Amino acid sequence: VEHITYLPVSYSKGFVLQPGLIPFGRKSYAGVRASLLVGLAEVHTEKVSGILLGINDSTLINADIEMHASLPFSIDESTPEGSISSGFGLDVGLITEIDDKLTLGISIDNVIASFNWSSATIYTATVSGEITSEDFSEADSLSDYLEQSEKKEVGDYKTSLPMSINLSGTYIAKEWVTIDANIRLDIGDMYWASRPLISLGTEFYPNSKIPLFFGIAIGGHSGFIWGTGLSIKMGSIIMDLSGGQEGGVFNNATGIRAGFGLRYEK
């Protein structure tokens, strides 16, 4: 179990680099984004260890589990309401124009990004015992044959978002279509961190007031993702809407995605 809900409030700044600093680039730019991270909810399995061993006609179980959780509401008296967390995030990036059509870039997301959760719930439990095949077939609850203990404590803990390295490229194929490609490499094992994710996207009519988008991705947790969306440009205010599926197409998909964004650009 790994889940986090947080609100990033970000400020980005770009810089023009001195010509020739990137030898293969015609024009190059660097950027940095600093974010105030407001943590709303978090729950994750900190540790699962033990054995599950078959011996003749029975199964031996001896396991320990530890979970950490900070939720904005109280489930019961033993699970108190967690406090809102705050953290700091930092992203950096670099892009360079090769020619009028091709742009390459690299960025590192979450160079720094962590949360300190206070008044959280730290849950630990142990399960041990031996169960026969008859117990499996006759018991209403396997807890009748197992020794179990659990404990909930109020404490503090810290989590960090996984760092991601993105290698990207943009190619203006025609005046009305732009092709984007990206390879994401995650460092860490928390939350969405997974095997490399390769993405390919297209933007249609990028200079219009309502550009359209379509893209696919392979790798990562889902194996396959597709999505589509549009942007609505209202002067300096830009609203993004998107949707798609993961793990398959239409009825074969294992999940859906939806996104909304609101940006201000000078």
Side-chain angles (χ1 to χ4, degrees):
V1 176
E2 289 181 328
H3 173 83
I4 186 170
T5 300
Y6 67 95
L7 174 67
V9 182
S10 305
Y11 175 78
S12 302
K13 179 68 174 178
F15 308 90
V16 180
L17 299 183
Q18 183 178 353
L21 187 61
I22 305 298
F24 54 83
R26 186 179 61 177
K27 293 181 180 179
S28 301
Y29 310 86
V32 61
R33 177 170 60 198
S35 302
L36 171 65
L37 306 176
V38 181
L40 303 178
E42 201 280 339
V43 57
H44 74 274
T45 303
E46 178 70 12
K47 180 182 70 174
V48 177
S49 61
I51 60 173
L52 181 65
L53 181 64
I55 303 176
N56 296 326
D57 294 331
S58 63
T59 300
L60 179 64
I61 299 174
N62 190 346
D64 298 289
I65 184 171
E66 180 178 339
M67 295 185 66
H68 296 178
S70 179
L71 302 175
F73 53 85
S74 177
I75 299 176
D76 51 41
E77 294 181 355
S78 62
T79 307
E81 177 181 336
S83 62
I84 293 179
S85 172
S86 62
F88 175 75
L90 182 66
D91 309 325
V92 296
L94 173 70
I95 61 173
T96 183
E97 297 177 358
I98 304 301
D99 52 36
D100 291 336
K101 291 182 176 292
L102 179 62
T103 300
L104 301 178
I106 180 173
S107 68
I108 304 177
D109 298 334
N110 303 323
V111 176
I112 301 173
S114 62
F115 299 84
N116 292 303
W117 305 92
S118 59
S119 302
T121 300
I122 299 177
Y123 171 85
T124 56
T126 61
V127 179
S128 62
E130 188 173 349
I131 303 176
T132 66
S133 56
E134 294 180 355
D135 296 334
F136 275 108
S137 61
E138 297 178 0
D140 294 329
S141 174
L142 295 180
S143 61
D144 296 337
Y145 300 91
L146 298 174
E147 295 182 6
Q148 302 178 69
S149 65
E150 62 178 14
K151 180 172 64 174
K152 292 182 181 179
E153 298 177 314
V154 177
D156 304 336
Y157 65 89
K158 180 180 180 179
T159 60
S160 298
L161 300 181
M163 181 188 299
S164 299
I165 301 174
N166 295 280
L167 307 173
S168 60
T170 298
Y171 181 70
I172 303 175
K174 298 288 184 180
E175 184 178 349
W176 55 273
V177 60
T178 299
I179 301 173
D180 298 297
N182 187 79
I183 300 176
R184 191 187 80 192
L185 306 172
D186 294 329
I187 300 175
D189 58 1
M190 286 288 287
Y191 308 121
W192 57 83
S194 65
R195 56 184 175 171
L197 181 68
I198 302 174
S199 307
L200 181 66
T202 52
E203 181 180 4
F204 299 98
Y205 308 105
N207 297 320
S208 69
K209 291 187 176 181
I210 307 180
L212 306 175
F213 305 90
F214 179 80
I216 61 172
I218 57 175
H221 280 298
S222 302
F224 177 79
I225 302 170
W226 73 271
T228 186
L230 56 86
S231 291
I232 302 175
K233 299 180 181 179
M234 300 169 288
S236 297
I237 304 297
I238 302 176
M239 182 171 61
D240 301 313
L241 301 171
S242 65
Q245 293 181 312
E246 57 185 37
V249 180
F250 302 120
N251 292 335
N252 293 323
T254 58
I256 62 173
R257 291 177 172 231
F260 169 78
L262 193 63
R263 295 178 283 139
Y264 174 81
E265 294 184 358
K266 292 183 179 182

